[in-house]
Amino acid sequence: MAFDAYVKREFKQVGTRVARPDGVDKVTGRALYGADMVAPGMLVGRVLRSPHAHARIVSIDTSEAAAMPGVKGIVTGRDFSVPKDEFLADVAVNCLAQDKALYDGHAIAAVAAINATVARDALKKIKVEYEVLPHVTDIDVAAKPDAPVVLEGRALETVPAGMGANVTHRCEFGHGDLEAGFAKADKIVERSFRTAATHQGYIEPHACLASFTTDGRADLWVCTQGHFYFRTLCSEMLGMEASQLKVTASEIGGGFGGKTTVYLEPVALMLSKKTGRPVKMVMTRDEVFRATGPTVSTSIDVKIGMTKDGRITAGWADMRYSGGAFQCLTCEMGAQAAFAAYDLEAVQTVGWNVMTNRPKEAAYRAPGAPQAIYAVESVVDELCQGLGLDPLEVRIKNAAKKGTKASYGPTFDDIGLLATLEAAKKHPHYTAPLAEGQARGLSCGFWFNFGGNTCVTMNVNTDGTVGIAEGNPDIGGSRASISLMAAEELGIPYEKVRTIIADTASLGYADTTDGSRVTFAVGIATINAARDAIRKMCKRAAMLWGIDEDAVEWKDGAAHPAGPNAGKFPPMSLADIAAKSFQTGGPIAGHYEVNADGAGVSFGVHLCDVEVDKETGATKVVRYTVFQDAGKAVHPDYVEGQMQGGAAQGIGWALNEEYIYGADGRLQNPGFLDYRIPVASDLPPIEAVILEIPNPGHPYGVRGVGETSIVPPLAAISNAISRSIGTRLQELPMSPPRVLKAIKGAA
Amino acid sequence: MVKVLLWGSLRAHTDGQAEVEVEASTFKEVLDKLAEAYPGLRPQIERGVSMAIDGRIYREAWFTRISPESEVVVMPYMTGG
Amino acid sequence: MSVTVSTTVNGDSVDFVCAPDETLLDALRGRLGLTGAKEGCGTGDCGACSVTLNGRLVCSCLVLAVEAEGQEIATVEGMAAGETLHPLQRAFIDHAALQCGICTPGILVAAKALLEKTPDPSDEEVRYWLAGNLCRCTGYDKIVRAVQAAAAEMRRA
Amino acid sequence: MRYEKPQTVAEAARLLSAEKGVARILAGGTDMLVQMKSGMVEPDLLVDIKALPGTRTIVKEAGGFRIGAGVSGAQLSEDADLKAAWPGVVEAANLIGSTQVQGRCTMVGNLCNASPAADSVPALVAAGAKVRVAGRGAGRDVAVEEIPAGPGKTKLKKGEFITSVFLPARGARCADAYLRFIPRTEMDIAVASAAVNLSLDEKGVIKDARVALGAVAPTVVLCEPAAKAIIGTRLDDAALEKLAAACSAAAKPIDDKRGSVEYRKDVVGVLAKRAARIAYTRAGGQK
């Protein structure tokens, strides 16, 4: 049974702001990230990448490079057999191109050499003959029947006949009678939006160290969000058995979804296999931007009808997403999320995927939702402006709540949207006077959250301390949260618990750190592993007391005689029981394995004030407040951190971040200089208001919090800008040239 | 019998019906019966689907019990970042 | 053709051999095993490799290792005095000013340089001083608070 | 690659002219190392000029300031006299890159990197600054605007390099200012920029002015019509509008990832107006 019901309780430790266990390592420079590991005899691997957006690879001549002193091995796509499974095949082809280079930066070949200089020089000696093909990077152009075809034959059965070959998927959601709904509206607004592809922008580039031995075993040290999934992908690509590949997750320098798939890792393993030496590969920042994880770029039409008093009568959206040069199903998430915040009688969303000569999409924090909700929330806001209605009241009036039939199908259980809206309404920010030239915007946001496969082993040490092994790389402080939940359940101090992330050989499978799942799902496993250990400890106490094990209960970190024996013996603490464990049957450990469900959806509301320089089009965010339903906040500091961090990424997306392609199909801004993520001086303080509406699907009421916060900023800022300049932009980012153009266009 | 709600684009394979009925008592049985009764749904079911049962989303839990009065909604396989 | 460099790192005299075009960052990480400074971009845009060179805050990816000859380098590894963390290091833990932590060493070195020059900075001064240190996780809010808390503590000391 | 750190100008000149391959100067390195990393430049010889006499100091000379070619932005900001005399030049130099980059970057490097968007260059041009060029022969002093030849190119000959920049003496009622536009608050390359240097008479009328524009042409633009637009005025609104129009007209920018032609032409005028107001106020003019 994969479902653990919430039971109301008073927490002693959960909810406190303890120091994170990896804190000292991280402030002293001791923490080891992907690029920080070395191995004796290690070689350096580098990748040769396509300078073309789309080209047939006629030939690759590696002979000259291979003959260079210091070059120990070279691999190309031919060294890998392409898996039969289409999804895996795409991942493999993305790691090393087969017959075509599909985007600027697509990996073509890789070299292992004695040092970085030799490796770099060797790349220059690899001769690749390309037949340059027509390319397409714009989604609307790519969707046309006469567009250059990125890959043939990739359309699913979902695509109607007559579409262009780049259109690979269609999905549709919704309910009710749209026509009747629009007929009831007093005002209908229909608009088209475009959003640029953005990058997760983690500061740590992808890095790994692979070591393959001649007996077919391998070790991989890698910065990843999911080392178990990396093991699956790499072992399939290298034709290995999973048990022969041990993957260890390094500390991870940010992921946000972008480190959920492999790029360098199978290549490093293959180079190590070929050379018989450990191979380290680290991407440059340029490679990170050109070849890894941007979001989908989108083109979205939205139509919404509203009555004079602010009731939404119907909502419709058609959203084209491009996940780059491969099949991509993210449009499904966007099409489901678009209207999730509203209680609607008639709603329909249609999602499409269109291939373009861009890098393969990787998940980015609530993948697909920010774009869809930006478009919907912009139109809702325009309706409020047009009808002279308060945008917060309109959202309260139409808010999805318990019993609402969600636009994506199910009926909502307990959800926190109304609570966040009411909190925003009561907050001083909403009524604070605005300075001259400032304007306020708001938006709702939504994300599903997931659970997934999780294993936890909890070892009770003989000195009364507890070690936890879990399988999810810690991106934002999850070891602290897991230790807190263990301490709470066991009734021992937080300081007595140490949580580590086990390698793939030491623990059962864990799904990737994604879908805002870790505190939720690992939490369930941890609490249950603790309960398992407690059962065992009660049994040991019963043996020591010579009473029936059912007559023992656990409270405040100790076994107590209960029932007829109550009070007969002094309580026996965890440390007392642990100290005698060798004499009572051996070491004590608790275990739990689960594929957790019941994560519970999450809503947020963001309020922001902006100031637009009407002569330059520059937007300054002057005040920002995030309201989010977090369920029980296990470690409030890191819950706030997720809310603030997501907001900051959303602000960057709204204002300046974008993939810019030239007419030649090459990425123009593959660096932090021109891919402009927010810097400290760009942002105001970001206030985070946590609402704790317990998730009925978690024993402590925990909900995922990591993703929802990136969803609302796009529309919140757009809505504020539109109120500041008196006209609405329909394209992201709202960079100064676009804003100035809109101002001039409106004048 | 369980009423199963299908998302819009799946209805092409059920003669336009948004809701179909199958004889099933678990997640897995729902999918098996759907694939049997509506072969057009098979490719999507093989790609993976989630299922919301009484408002809670399950990704793979084949043996989750479903009662005749349960609200059952088939959804695409959920992914996150 | 390699060059021998004699320099001082965190108060210790060290020698290493490097290529003439090798960056100080690569030498610190690769030759001296000081991996606290991180390479986030290699072009001076992210600040993760921040160190001080004769007390001046620099990106070690934009300094050649040979330029360190006879100079004094300070890195994050030199911030704590034995078991005692620097007030900034403690404040970053106490205020949850890090999530993934990859930018943390660079930010700590930069913030230390700020507080040595400006013991009582405004929030705006902190934000502008740290504009060259990208953090993608936190939205900077808790970082600014942690720097201010450490600054207050250091002023009291 | 060879790395050399000569102790004399003569030795540096000898090294540079003797090199048959690609020779480059290393001062702050904040552009050079980026170019080396990207493979844009692969020097055979790198001559570090920071050990040459006078390259690390700011010295008063003839009432003005001689600033060594190795003086960092951070050093400039710490010189109170220089800041008081040439606030626009110092603020322009201090806009280059981050705090970290300020620890190393130099105005001469900014000039010789020859980016049209270099922040310190319009301010130096507006200031009427001169650089001292060394080479095999005798040194010569050259106006800053004579150095850039186009994006990435200077008019320096093989073996020549700049050892210092000279900012002239200031009289009363003089001031300069520099503004640039970037999308973020920091860390970007200028999309457009404007420097204004002016002097007032006792009544607050502008006697003399120099206006220089950045990032709107292949090289810095010394915009005489813009200066004329404000000379003889008290910087009234009409004069400011004329100034902006003259700057927009003189701008011959390109469309690129950082901005469009139209945007740059607009914004350069806005910046010139704002910079002029700052300079005017600094010079003691009343608005």
Side-chain angles (χ1 to χ4, degrees):
Chain A
M1 182 64 199
F3 199 76
D4 259 291
Y6 169 70
V7 179
K8 192 171 160 57
R9 63 191 285 166
E10 291 296 316
F11 292 104
K12 294 197 168 109
Q13 300 190 69
V14 160
T16 61
R17 299 175 188 248
V18 294
R20 59 192 287 163
D22 51 330
V24 173
D25 279 350
K26 285 182 174 168
V27 299
T28 54
R30 253 177 292 194
L32 295 175
Y33 292 81
D36 296 338
M37 188 57 93
V38 291
M42 180 177 92
L43 300 172
V44 174
R46 290 290 302 268
V47 177
L48 180 71
R49 296 184 182 277
S50 169
H52 304 293
H54 195 195
R56 190 165 308 288
I57 300 167
V58 179
S59 64
I60 304 175
D61 179 359
T62 59
S63 54
E64 200 181 332
M68 286 171 66
V71 172
K72 301 294 180 185
I74 299 178
V75 298
T76 68
R78 271 169 242 157
D79 290 287
F80 290 87
S81 53
V82 177
K84 281 197 188 68
D85 175 85
E86 208 166 68
F87 174 79
L88 262 180
D90 281 354
V91 175
V93 169
N94 194 43
C95 288
L96 270 177
Q98 289 290 330
D99 54 336
K100 285 210 294 183
L102 295 168
Y103 55 89
D104 167 40
H106 196 169
I108 305 295
V111 170
I114 51 165
N115 62 43
T117 311
V118 175
R120 187 190 62 196
D121 292 345
L123 292 184
K124 292 182 199 157
K125 302 289 184 192
I126 297 176
K127 295 191 190 77
V128 185
E129 191 187 333
Y130 293 103
E131 177 198 339
V132 177
L133 302 170
H135 66 270
V136 59
T137 55
D138 182 276
I139 181 168
D140 290 328
V141 176
K144 291 181 180 154
D146 58 349
V149 177
V150 177
L151 288 170
E152 296 279 1
R154 294 307 305 272
L156 294 177
E157 80 287 353
T158 54
V159 179
M163 305 298 291
N166 293 324
V167 180
T168 58
H169 186 39
R170 178 186 182 276
C171 57
E172 183 199 312
F173 301 88
H175 57 254
D177 184 341
L178 272 186
E179 214 174 305
F182 283 119
K184 281 186 232 162
D186 294 309
K187 189 172 177 67
I188 296 171
V189 168
E190 183 171 2
R191 294 281 177 264
S192 298
F193 300 88
R194 282 170 63 93
T195 69
T198 55
H199 195 277
Q200 296 83 354
Y202 33 81
I203 309 301
E204 181 200 27
H206 298 258
C208 67
L209 172 57
S211 182
F212 213 110
T213 53
T214 48
D215 59 358
R217 275 186 253 260
D219 281 300
L220 180 68
W221 164 272
V222 58
C223 67
T224 171
Q225 289 179 238
H227 46 308
F228 288 89
Y229 185 53
F230 274 35
R231 180 186 64 179
T232 304
L233 293 173
C234 291
S235 57
E236 295 248 8
M237 272 178 234
L238 279 104
M240 303 173 70
E241 288 174 352
S243 63
Q244 300 309 306
L245 174 60
K246 184 183 96 175
V247 186
T248 307
S250 70
E251 290 296 335
I252 175 171
F256 315 108
K259 289 177 183 163
T260 56
T261 191
V262 295
Y263 299 99
L264 298 174
E265 297 76 9
V267 179
L269 282 162
M270 188 58 89
L271 282 170
S272 178
K273 188 177 181 184
K274 275 193 146 183
T275 59
R277 289 170 64 170
V279 174
K280 180 159 151 180
M281 298 186 82
V282 181
M283 278 196 197
T284 62
R285 180 52 56 182
D286 171 273
E287 290 180 287
V288 172
F289 277 113
R290 285 167 70 205
T292 75
T295 63
V296 291
S297 55
T298 77
S299 171
I300 301 173
D301 305 325
V302 174
K303 182 178 173 185
I304 300 175
M306 194 181 273
T307 60
K308 274 186 292 208
D309 62 348
R311 182 73 197 144
I312 299 174
T313 60
W316 170 87
D318 184 86
M319 35 193 76
R320 283 86 56 195
Y321 282 25
S322 178
F326 299 90
Q327 176 65 279
C328 173
L329 303 181
T330 299
C331 58
E332 292 176 347
M333 305 310 289
Q336 290 179 92
F339 286 97
Y342 294 102
D343 182 356
L344 301 176
E345 276 179 24
V347 56
Q348 185 193 47
T349 57
V350 180
W352 303 86
N353 185 61
V354 184
M355 291 186 296
T356 50
N357 292 111
R358 289 169 175 250
K360 188 176 192 307
E361 184 246 20
Y364 180 22
R365 222 167 187 158
Q371 301 93 331
I373 290 175
Y374 152 70
V376 166
E377 288 291 275
S378 294
V379 173
V380 169
D381 199 62
E382 187 174 340
L383 283 159
C384 294
Q385 284 172 299
L387 293 165
L389 299 168
D390 180 292
L392 190 47
E393 294 294 352
V394 166
R395 283 169 175 88
I396 290 171
K397 182 171 254 179
N398 293 284
K401 49 193 163 295
K402 186 171 183 163
T404 293
K405 185 177 171 55
S407 57
Y408 56 88
T411 304
F412 283 125
D413 195 346
D414 284 318
I415 55 171
L417 176 60
L418 264 177
T420 57
L421 286 163
E422 295 289 353
K425 191 176 161 184
K426 281 194 211 97
H427 193 276
H429 185 169
Y430 195 61
T431 45
L434 286 161
E436 171 89 30
Q438 294 180 352
R440 183 163 295 145
L442 72 94
S443 171
C444 296
F446 162 84
W447 186 243
F448 294 95
N449 300 332
F450 311 121
N453 293 294
T454 308
C455 299
V456 164
T457 285
M458 181 179 288
N459 297 307
V460 179
N461 304 317
T462 51
D463 65 351
T465 61
V466 168
I468 296 174
E470 51 104 359
N472 279 96
D474 175 355
I475 300 196
S478 56
R479 272 166 292 195
S481 303
I482 291 160
S483 294
L484 269 174
M485 287 185 275
E488 182 78 41
E489 194 64 30
L490 292 168
I492 60 172
Y494 166 77
E495 293 72 23
K496 300 276 184 200
V497 182
R498 181 167 187 191
T499 299
I500 62 122
I501 293 134
D503 62 62
T504 57
S506 307
L507 194 70
Y509 192 88
D511 276 334
T512 299
T513 297
D514 68 1
S516 302
R517 70 173 218 94
V518 174
T519 307
F520 169 78
V522 183
I524 288 178
T526 301
I527 293 162
N528 282 292
R531 289 173 183 173
D532 185 36
I534 287 168
R535 270 191 299 277
K536 291 169 181 166
M537 289 188 286
C538 287
K539 191 174 168 186
R540 304 294 175 95
M543 288 166 76
L544 289 163
W545 285 326
I547 63 173
D548 191 72
E549 65 184 85
D550 295 338
V552 180
E553 64 176 8
W554 189 266
K555 47 179 199 216
D556 300 331
H560 294 251
N565 303 301
K568 277 197 188 161
F569 309 100
M572 202 180 291
S573 72
L574 180 143
D576 297 337
I577 298 167
K580 297 188 181 72
S581 60
F582 294 178
Q583 292 77 32
T584 56
I588 299 167
H591 298 271
Y592 199 72
E593 295 82 28
V594 64
N595 188 351
D597 286 307
V601 298
S602 153
F603 289 91
V605 175
H606 291 198
L607 271 182
C608 75
D609 297 350
V610 305
E611 211 168 79
V612 180
D613 182 333
K614 307 286 193 303
E615 290 184 312
T616 64
T619 301
K620 186 176 167 62
V621 181
V622 295
R623 186 169 182 181
Y624 206 97
T625 311
V626 179
F627 304 86
Q628 190 174 317
D629 169 18
K632 178 64 198 172
V634 176
H635 193 309
D637 273 343
Y638 291 102
V639 171
E640 289 163 5
Q642 290 297 320
M643 291 160 70
Q644 293 167 329
Q649 287 183 319
I651 292 169
W653 196 337
L655 293 177
N656 281 309
E657 292 181 35
E658 61 180 320
Y659 264 46
I660 304 171
Y661 279 93
D664 59 359
R666 301 198 66 186
L667 184 61
Q668 302 282 296
N669 57 337
F672 280 135
L673 184 62
D674 286 301
Y675 183 88
R676 304 181 192 102
I677 78 171
V679 302
S681 49
D682 290 341
L683 297 176
I686 298 171
E687 187 182 347
V689 180
I690 300 173
L691 289 119
E692 294 189 309
I693 291 107
N695 173 16
H698 186 280
Y700 290 178
V702 170
R703 230 177 253 282
V705 294
E707 292 170 286
T708 303
S709 54
I710 199 174
V711 179
L714 284 55
I717 290 179
S718 183
N719 294 342
I721 290 176
S722 99
R723 285 160 194 271
S724 169
I725 66 174
T727 182
R728 184 168 290 275
L729 277 82
Q730 289 167 223
E731 186 165 7
L732 296 183
M734 295 172 286
S735 54
R738 286 205 183 117
V739 174
L740 189 66
K741 201 170 178 184
I743 292 170
K744 292 190 148 193
Chain B
M1 294 294 267
V2 182
K3 285 187 192 141
V4 181
L5 184 68
L6 303 168
W7 77 82
S9 32
L10 297 187
R11 297 169 197 167
H13 310 292
T14 59
D15 305 321
Q17 297 174 83
E19 200 168 61
V20 297
E21 283 197 71
V22 293
E23 188 63 51
S25 59
T26 65
F27 180 117
K28 174 79 161 54
E29 282 173 10
V30 168
L31 297 186
D32 290 348
K33 295 287 169 60
L34 280 175
E36 208 177 286
Y38 307 99
L41 295 176
R42 207 176 282 273
Q44 179 63 50
I45 289 171
E46 280 169 6
R47 276 198 297 277
V49 291
S50 304
M51 204 180 290
I53 300 165
D54 294 323
R56 279 168 201 155
I57 302 169
Y58 296 80
R59 288 209 287 188
E60 285 157 318
W62 278 4
F63 299 103
T64 304
R65 302 295 303 176
I66 295 173
S67 63
E69 58 276 12
S70 292
E71 179 199 65
V72 178
V73 183
V74 176
M75 296 170 67
Y77 188 77
M78 298 276 123
T79 53
Chain C
M1 193 173 41
S2 294
V3 195
T4 305
V5 177
S6 298
T7 185
T8 304
V9 179
N10 299 327
D12 297 329
S13 297
V14 296
D15 301 305
F16 59 85
V17 175
C18 68
D21 60 353
E22 189 165 318
T23 64
L24 176 59
L25 174 62
D26 284 341
L28 288 170
R29 291 175 55 84
R31 312 278 172 186
L32 300 174
L34 294 171
T35 56
K38 307 297 180 190
E39 179 163 323
C41 67
T43 50
D45 298 311
C46 79
C49 66
S50 295
V51 301
T52 59
L53 175 64
N54 300 330
R56 189 77 83 188
L57 183 67
V58 298
C59 285
S60 58
C61 74
L62 294 186
V63 177
L64 288 179
V66 289
E67 292 183 83
E69 174 68 36
Q71 316 290 310
E72 291 196 11
I73 313 290
T75 72
V76 71
E77 286 92 345
M79 268 181 84
E83 289 195 318
T84 312
L85 294 181
H86 186 279
L88 276 161
Q89 292 174 311
R90 215 169 40 248
F92 269 57
I93 297 173
D94 291 347
H95 290 79
L98 59 143
Q99 284 178 35
C100 81
I102 194 89
C103 69
T104 308
I107 292 188
L108 287 168
V109 169
K112 180 166 177 272
L114 168 67
L115 298 186
E116 279 162 7
K117 189 179 146 89
T118 313
D120 190 7
S122 67
D123 283 0
E124 198 179 4
E125 280 176 295
V126 174
R127 285 180 181 274
Y128 274 88
W129 181 271
L130 294 179
N133 290 90
L134 300 181
C135 169
R136 191 60 158 169
C137 293
T138 64
Y140 306 103
D141 190 277
K142 290 185 191 293
I143 291 174
V144 176
R145 285 168 206 266
V147 172
Q148 292 291 23
E153 188 191 326
M154 287 163 74
R155 288 195 301 274
R156 281 194 301 272
Chain D
M1 189 195 90
R2 273 191 311 143
Y3 167 86
E4 298 284 354
K5 194 171 185 180
Q7 304 295 310
T8 66
V9 171
E11 194 195 342
R14 190 189 54 75
L15 283 165
L16 287 167
S17 26
E19 177 58 44
K20 295 206 168 56
V22 178
R24 284 288 188 275
I25 301 284
L26 178 68
T30 52
D31 285 315
M32 183 51 59
L33 265 67
V34 174
Q35 291 171 12
M36 283 165 60
K37 171 121 192 160
S38 71
M40 241 173 87
V41 181
E42 292 181 24
D44 299 292
L45 170 69
L46 201 57
V47 177
D48 187 340
I49 58 163
K50 291 192 290 293
L52 303 183
T55 49
R56 306 299 295 270
T57 54
I58 304 169
V59 179
K60 292 246 173 73
E61 183 182 305
F65 300 83
R66 182 157 299 280
I67 301 162
V71 170
S72 69
Q75 240 179 306
L76 293 173
S77 72
E78 287 158 12
D79 190 310
D81 292 344
L82 178 67
K83 256 171 107 169
W86 293 102
V89 171
V90 175
E91 71 200 0
N94 287 164
L95 284 172
I96 303 166
S98 59
T99 316
Q100 286 82 343
V101 168
Q102 282 294 310
R104 296 263 294 167
C105 71
T106 68
M107 291 199 293
V108 170
N110 200 217
L111 174 64
C112 294
N113 184 52
S115 160
D119 282 308
S120 66
V121 175
L124 288 170
V125 169
K130 286 187 163 55
V131 290
R132 181 151 297 166
V133 178
R136 302 244 33 198
R140 59 195 173 101
D141 289 339
V142 180
V144 167
E145 56 270 34
E146 293 304 318
I147 297 296
K153 291 195 179 67
T154 70
K155 293 179 188 161
L156 295 173
K157 296 187 201 75
K158 182 173 166 61
E160 283 190 332
F161 62 102
I162 294 170
T163 55
S164 66
V165 54
F166 179 72
L167 285 165
R170 287 306 244 172
R173 296 182 298 278
C174 296
D176 66 338
Y178 172 81
L179 289 175
R180 66 167 182 194
F181 181 79
I182 54 171
R184 291 181 290 188
T185 50
E186 279 282 351
M187 301 305 291
D188 293 328
I189 302 293
V191 177
S193 67
V196 176
N197 175 27
L198 46 76
S199 60
L200 311 181
D201 68 13
E202 283 157 10
K203 292 178 187 143
V205 175
I206 297 171
K207 266 197 321 200
D208 203 2
R210 278 166 75 89
V211 178
L213 312 175
V216 291
T219 58
V220 60
V221 176
L222 178 61
C223 186
E224 283 172 21
K228 278 198 190 116
I230 55 171
I231 291 173
T233 74
R234 284 196 177 79
L235 210 63
D236 52 89
D237 288 351
L240 283 168
E241 287 316 314
K242 267 196 220 159
L243 165 74
C247 292
S248 296
K252 303 279 183 280
I254 55 165
D255 271 321
D256 69 4
K257 62 191 170 192
R258 294 176 186 144
S260 63
V261 167
E262 184 192 2
Y263 184 74
R264 287 186 157 113
K265 283 173 84 81
D266 274 349
V267 169
V268 79
V270 171
L271 295 169
K273 279 198 289 192
R274 293 179 183 180
R277 281 198 203 104
I278 296 168
Y280 187 77
T281 307
R282 280 179 180 163
Q286 303 291 317
K287 274 291 290 177

